[in-house]
Amino acid sequence: MDIIRIIIAILLPPLGVFLQVGFAGAFWLNILLTLCGYIPGIVHAVYIIAKR
């Protein structure tokens, strides 16, 4: 299941984080990072998914 989440995180970083943690602070941080730049959003999403 983590492989699917990582693929989703690469395509849509906030969705990947949402599937992992829900509406927690990491989700909102990821939206902010994705708006600032797509790559930081991807890195953060993959980190959140790999960490848990």
Side-chain angles (χ1 to χ4, degrees):
M1 188 68 176
D2 283 342
I3 298 298
I4 294 171
R5 286 186 184 142
I6 289 175
I7 292 170
I8 291 172
I10 291 171
L11 298 175
L12 294 168
L15 180 60
V17 174
F18 174 75
L19 292 174
Q20 187 71 29
V21 299
F23 283 113
F27 171 72
W28 299 108
L29 176 61
N30 190 267
I31 287 179
L32 180 66
L33 287 171
T34 302
L35 289 175
C36 290
Y38 190 66
I39 301 297
I42 291 174
V43 171
H44 178 256
V46 170
Y47 172 74
I48 292 295
I49 292 169
K51 184 176 84 169
R52 296 176 189 235

